[in-house]
Each structure stands twice: as structure tokens, then as C-alpha cells.
Amino acid sequence: MNLEHSIAALATRIRSAASITALTGAGVSAASGVPTFRGSKGLWRNYAPEQLATPEAFREDPRLVWEWYNWRRELIAKCRPNAAHTVLAAWSRRYPRFHLITQNVDGLHELAGTQDVVRFHGSIWEVLCWERCPGSPERWRDDRVPFEEIPPHCPHCSGLIRPGVVWFGEAIDPEVWTRSVEAASCEVFLTAGTSAVVYPAAGLIHEARSRGAFTVEINPDLTPNSGAVDLTIQARAEEVLPAVDSLLLS
Ligand code: APR
């Protein structure tokens, strides 16, 4: 099916759907200037995830880990939502039973105005006390860019704070997982901008399909999920989503 027909097919499905869920990955922020993790210019080409995005890495060298997150925060602070974020935000307001689950921690969906984002991997703009000290909340927003000191410290116990993101080997927040699985019960489940290699996020589209959803993947590249979905749209999210939306509005 060519791109124009695929876009029309997705618009037809969304137009008649009573419930829609979108799962996004780093690819939807690529056009905003936020580096992806994999692929030719991905972050994991220059850094070893095990050295930066695990509790063991943080225990071993909190300064190194915070230098990397501080660099990413400074970069992301200069980035703005792109057309893909804008369309998904419009759908979150237009369709009562629209859910957005994102693997991204950059906050660009919220900045675009998306309601009630399910942050599957947390937020780079939130922190928590590494010791989980009794005086500190479970997590809190900390927008400082850059931090005055690296690694930054907990204001409640002077111990270390850590980024409020889910690291490799860590469990997804149970409430986030429950909301995500509930959102998989929908008529249309689409993924955009994810390489579909990190579980359990990558498994949600299979869960949706098993519950009868029409499944769609939007990604210029093929992924391990491409052969299992109903519609594969091999194009950029910031191109596809506005094109689908203009058909919905026409
Ligand atoms: N539109 C759509 N997809 C795009 C675009 C675009 N403009 N540009 C790139 N992509 C695709 C790439 O082809 C790739 O398949 O986005 C995907 C990004 O994949 P990853 O970098 O692996 O990002 P993601 O799938 O979100 O990673 C999942 O892995 O490192 C962890 O916690 C991190 O949340 C992240 C998780």
C-alpha cells in the first residue's frame, strides 16, 4: 500500500474508532532535535547504556550518570514540540477515549498540550532521593538547567538525588503498567517512533492486537513488530500524523 493510501486507511480507522491509543518513542521527538537512542545517530552508538542508564551505573559513578542527564536536560530544554506532538495533543482533546503512552522522558507531549500522558519511563524533569529519605516526596519536579552542582543533592537529607526515569533492569511503576494495559483495550492502537526492542513497552501492541485492536506502526524503518501489525506506515511521524489529521478535519 503506498503512503497516501496508508494515511487514508489510518484516517478511516480513526474516524470510526470509539477508542484510540498511541504509544510513542524517541522517533517522535527526533524532529524536535532530541537524539534517539538507536539507529545511525542514536545515543547508544556513543554511550554504553549499561554505563549510564542502570542503578548499578549510578551507584558506581553518580557524577558520570548525572553529567549525561544534565547534558540531555540542557539539550532538551532548548527543544520544542513538533507537528507529531501537536497532532497527538489535538487528538487527546478531540477524542474522549484517546490515550497517549510515551516511552519518552523529554516532556514534549505535555509541552504540546497533551492531556493525561502516561509516562511509561518517567520524566527527565523529575528527580527522587536516591536513599528515598523519609523527608522527601516520592518524586518531584526539578527544572534546574544546569544543576549548580553535579551530582545534585537531596534538599531533605543532603544525600544524592537520581533522575526520575526508569533505568534498564528497573520495573515499570505498577499504576503506569495498569493504565497502559487498560489502554491496550482500544479499537485503534498505533505506535510512532519506536524501535520496538525494549519490553515491556514493545509488548503493548501485541496485547492490543490480542484484544481486537487494529494495530498500526509509524516508523521510517521496519522494526521487529512491523510484520505483526495490521498497517505499517514507513514514514516519519511528523509527516504522517498531520496528513492523517487533515483528512480527519476535511
Ligand atoms: N518519525 C518516526 N519514527 C522515527 C523518526 C521519525 N521522524 N525518526 C526516527 N524514527 C524511528 C527510528 O527508526 C527508530 O526505530 O524511531 C525509532 C527510535 O528508536 P529508539 O531510539 O530505540 O527509541 P525508543 O524505541 O523510544 O527506545 C525505547 O529504550 O533506551 C531506552 O528508555 C529508552 O525509552 C527508550 C527505550
Side-chain angles (χ1 to χ4, degrees), residues 8-230:
L10 179 51
T12 302
R13 287 282 177 171
I14 288 179
R15 189 177 289 114
S16 62
S19 51
I20 305 151
T21 295
L23 168 68
T24 63
V28 297
S29 293
S32 297
V34 182
T36 60
F37 292 96
R38 298 168 185 84
S40 54
K41 300 194 200 78
L43 288 169
W44 296 146
R45 277 182 67 83
N46 307 318
Y47 302 94
E50 299 72 28
Q51 273 186 296
L52 294 166
T54 65
E56 295 73 25
F58 189 83
R59 195 171 292 113
E60 172 84 19
D61 192 342
R63 173 183 300 280
L64 172 70
V65 173
W66 265 119
E67 280 170 355
W68 187 61
Y69 278 94
N70 188 56
W71 167 78
R72 285 179 64 200
R73 285 162 58 109
E74 287 193 84
L75 184 149
I76 291 167
K78 299 181 192 114
C79 296
R80 290 291 165 266
N82 65 64
H85 297 108
T86 306
V87 167
L88 291 170
W91 292 359
S92 77
R93 292 187 293 270
R94 190 186 311 159
Y95 302 114
R97 289 180 58 201
F98 176 86
H99 292 91
L100 182 88
I101 306 165
T102 188
Q103 300 171 85
N104 302 339
V105 297
D106 56 33
L108 291 182
H109 285 300
E110 294 89 336
L111 212 50
T114 302
Q115 320 279 324
D116 207 17
V117 175
V118 178
R119 297 176 183 158
F120 205 74
H121 290 155
S123 170
I124 203 166
W125 298 114
E126 292 184 344
V127 296
L128 51 136
C129 178
W130 173 245
E131 303 299 336
R132 302 300 200 278
C133 71
S136 65
E138 194 177 329
R139 58 179 47 230
W140 64 94
R141 188 166 173 96
D142 185 329
D143 292 287
R144 286 177 290 170
V145 172
F147 285 107
E148 296 81 17
E149 56 166 351
I150 302 278
H153 287 82
C154 173
H156 307 279
C157 71
S158 309
L160 293 172
I161 55 176
R162 58 158 285 180
V165 302
V166 178
W167 279 328
F168 291 103
E170 293 188 315
I172 301 299
D173 175 280
E175 193 197 328
V176 165
W177 176 247
T178 302
R179 288 180 64 197
S180 301
V181 171
E182 283 168 359
S185 292
C186 56
E187 283 188 32
V188 176
F189 188 101
L190 70 92
T191 68
T194 183
S195 58
V197 295
V198 174
Y199 282 76
L204 286 170
I205 198 162
H206 303 292
E207 181 62 28
R209 191 169 167 76
S210 73
R211 297 179 180 209
F214 180 80
T215 52
V216 185
E217 179 181 74
I218 301 169
N219 189 326
D221 293 346
L222 292 175
T223 78
N225 281 351
S226 302
V229 298
D230 297 298

